[in-house]
Amino acid sequence: MTRTARFLGHVAAWLGPAGLFACLVFAAPALAGGTEPGPDVVQAVNRLTYGPTPGLLDKAAAMGAAAFIDAQLAPEPQPEPPELERALAALPTLHKDTVRLFREYGPPAEEGRAEGPEAMRRTFDRADAVALEAAKARLLRAVASPNQLAELMVAFWCEHLGLGPKKGLSHLWIGSYEREAIRPHALGNFFDLLAATAMHPAMLMAQDNWKNVVVREAGKPAKDSIDATYAAVLLNRQTLGPGGPQKPADVQALARILTGWRVGAARADSDTGGFYFDAERHDPSDKTLLGQRIKGTGFGEGAAALRLLVEHPATAKNISRKLAVYFLTDDPPPALVARLADTFQKTGGDIRQTLRALFTSPEFQDDKYRGGRVKSPLRQVASALRALGAFPADAAGLVGTLAALGQPLPGDAAEGALAPAAQWAKAEALPRRVSLAGDLAAGRIAGFPAPTADPAALARTLGPTLSPAVRQAAERGGVAVILASPDFVRY
């Protein structure tokens, strides 16, 4: 039994066997299609975007795969469509920096602070409201932004450099973390990206570095209160990776280097970041990290340590492998990872050039990697809306749907965009995928009315990735049959 046939069996359970049988048997000739884009174009569009929109495959075919890749890697972003701009403008917290968010949505000042569970609940409710707007914005951009590769990379870095489970003020700042630390560097230089995240209050709070201090008296260290949580995450996940050369002593040394990196009150209206280096809570001694001496110079030690980590071969390999998994396959060829790591190192951690090396590699267009990945819930929802040419009036319902499907926005790294594709291919997930397709097609998700696209138009948008069986079944079963099919769920 083919993959298509097996999956259509699940669709039958939703449409009813008789309905699906009728679709397959009595369907008229397959939906008409125009000139089909080549497989290299389909691969570039499917992997560098959340999925084709009406006419995108034809546009990419006219450009050629290489020019399409160049356009997505271009340093200057394309202008956002007015519909997306209006939707983002209607989310007021998106336009507030970290300091303003704390002042307007954080806990009340000490003198006016109410005590008790009810006051705490109100504080968390305000943070939830801010986080929901950040999630809506992420989803809306995934659907409608023309800068699709940048959006995919924002999702990648938000997971790789993630804040972890919901925790205090880091939850309030999860949107400003994305806007201020991730987005400006998503296709830029890894050192700039890592430094921006390391100094953002959301990371300092989420990984407890705000309380990583050495108390000094009369200018000399008097009491250690070392918290190595962030140092361990930085070494074991964000840079060198779990197979790196770091030892427990390196974690402790890095933690001491980062003592005094804290969250501070704004000292002027121009102070919008919230980062504060507390020299009186910093260990001024020299340290040894990965066999290298880091001279005790205060704040400069942190920059030196981050530079050492970014330039380490283990970091190049860790980042390169994750990029290859994200864009190509769960088990990328070691030779490809080695070439990407070489590019990463030679360019000083240039993310754009590392991606270019990946997208122009022979492996990227190898037949065995085409159509082999299963969409995450975010990709399935975004690709469905893009293919239908639809834009939600309110994304809250879709954000809730993603959470129900096991991919909350923003979410834990273990459950999000960096999870292997195999995680989303488990048999128990198929009924929910089919149900999602039906809900989208029928307009049963709040804020997203039933789409107006017909099966023929949807088939034209998706091009040669749809099999004749699915095209024929869709003529009677409607767009839900296409959205639930393995041809659509895989990419």
Side-chain angles (χ1 to χ4, degrees):
M1 180 182 288
T2 66
R3 193 173 65 201
T4 298
R6 285 197 301 272
F7 204 86
L8 287 175
H10 293 283
V11 179
W14 173 68
L15 290 175
L20 182 61
F21 179 79
C23 291
L24 292 171
V25 174
F26 298 110
L31 299 169
T35 303
E36 293 187 344
D40 58 336
V41 170
V42 173
Q43 173 77 340
V45 170
N46 281 344
R47 299 301 171 98
L48 273 69
T49 77
Y50 277 101
T53 53
L56 180 58
L57 282 175
D58 292 337
K59 179 181 176 182
M63 296 170 66
F68 180 80
I69 291 171
D70 283 344
Q72 287 295 319
L73 285 168
E76 291 299 321
Q78 302 175 56
E80 306 282 14
E83 189 175 34
L84 176 58
E85 288 187 336
R86 286 193 295 271
L88 297 178
L91 303 173
T93 61
L94 256 62
H95 314 287
K96 300 180 188 297
D97 58 54
T98 295
V99 172
R100 286 190 64 191
L101 284 174
F102 178 77
R103 287 173 175 165
E104 297 181 23
Y105 295 88
E110 287 289 345
E111 58 269 21
R113 182 177 299 174
E115 301 292 343
E118 180 59 23
M120 186 66 71
R121 185 191 62 77
R122 288 197 295 272
T123 298
F124 283 127
D125 285 350
R126 288 194 297 272
D128 284 344
V130 176
L132 176 58
E133 292 201 348
K136 289 180 179 179
R138 175 91 70 83
L139 179 56
L140 292 172
R141 286 187 171 113
V143 171
S145 173
N147 306 298
Q148 285 284 289
L149 178 60
E151 292 306 316
L152 286 170
M153 287 307 296
V154 166
F156 176 88
W157 293 123
C158 282
E159 300 284 347
H160 178 70
L161 303 168
L163 301 174
K166 179 178 176 180
K167 188 175 184 181
L169 282 172
S170 67
H171 189 57
L172 169 67
W173 287 325
I174 203 160
S176 68
Y177 176 73
E178 176 185 318
R179 293 189 299 277
E180 297 166 2
I182 300 287
R183 284 191 171 274
H185 311 291
L187 285 168
N189 183 274
F190 185 63
F191 174 81
D192 297 336
L193 173 66
L194 195 64
T197 58
M199 291 190 288
H200 198 281
M203 181 64 80
L204 295 169
M205 297 295 292
Q207 303 298 345
D208 291 333
N209 203 74
W210 65 277
K211 58 185 180 181
N212 175 36
V213 299
V214 170
V215 179
R216 297 165 69 177
E217 295 178 359
K220 297 181 179 179
K223 179 183 176 184
D224 285 356
S225 184
I226 300 297
D227 189 312
T229 304
Y230 177 51
V233 170
L234 191 53
L235 287 168
N236 298 333
R237 192 177 86 198
Q238 298 181 351
T239 57
L240 307 180
Q246 65 274 21
K247 296 180 171 55
D250 294 311
V251 176
Q252 291 300 312
L254 183 57
R256 287 188 173 277
I257 289 170
L258 296 174
T259 49
W261 286 42
R262 311 186 72 189
V263 179
R267 291 165 292 284
D269 288 343
S270 59
D271 188 353
T272 60
F275 172 76
Y276 172 57
F277 176 67
D278 188 348
E280 293 302 313
R281 294 292 182 270
H282 175 70
D283 178 357
S285 65
D286 293 351
K287 294 92 175 173
T288 299
L289 177 64
L290 299 171
Q292 301 289 317
R293 180 170 176 264
I294 304 288
K295 186 172 177 53
T297 57
F299 175 69
E301 293 173 47
L306 293 181
R307 178 68 69 186
L308 176 62
L309 295 178
V310 168
E311 294 177 350
H312 199 283
T315 297
K317 182 178 179 181
N318 183 37
I319 300 298
S320 297
R321 188 180 189 285
K322 285 194 170 184
L323 287 172
V325 169
Y326 186 57
F327 283 105
L328 190 63
T329 175
D330 284 0
D331 188 19
L336 172 64
V337 174
R339 296 201 307 276
L340 299 182
D342 186 56
T343 300
F344 185 92
Q345 278 198 282
K346 286 180 176 175
T347 60
D350 189 313
I351 298 164
R352 182 175 280 104
Q353 293 306 319
T354 305
L355 288 175
R356 185 181 298 281
L358 170 60
F359 299 146
T360 58
S361 69
E363 291 89 343
F364 186 69
Q365 292 292 355
D366 193 316
D367 286 344
K368 65 183 177 184
Y369 298 126
R370 290 177 178 146
R373 296 185 70 77
V374 175
K375 294 177 179 177
S376 68
L378 170 60
R379 186 180 279 269
Q380 185 182 3
V381 168
S383 63
L385 269 61
R386 286 173 61 77
L388 293 166
F391 190 78
D394 184 348
L398 291 167
V399 169
T401 297
L402 290 176
L405 289 169
Q407 192 179 15
L409 286 181
D412 192 315
E415 299 177 338
L418 302 191
Q423 172 172 320
W424 307 116
K426 295 177 181 175
E428 57 266 30
L430 293 180
R432 291 191 294 176
R433 296 300 185 95
V434 173
S435 178
L436 171 62
D439 290 344
L440 287 170
R444 288 195 289 263
I445 298 177
F448 183 68
T452 57
D454 59 38
L458 183 56
R460 282 195 299 272
T461 296
L462 298 174
T465 57
L466 286 187
S467 66
V470 172
R471 287 170 181 264
Q472 291 177 353
E475 289 197 346
R476 291 296 182 92
V479 298
V481 172
I482 294 177
L483 298 180
S485 71
D487 298 353
F488 182 79
V489 174
R490 291 182 176 272
Y491 69 106

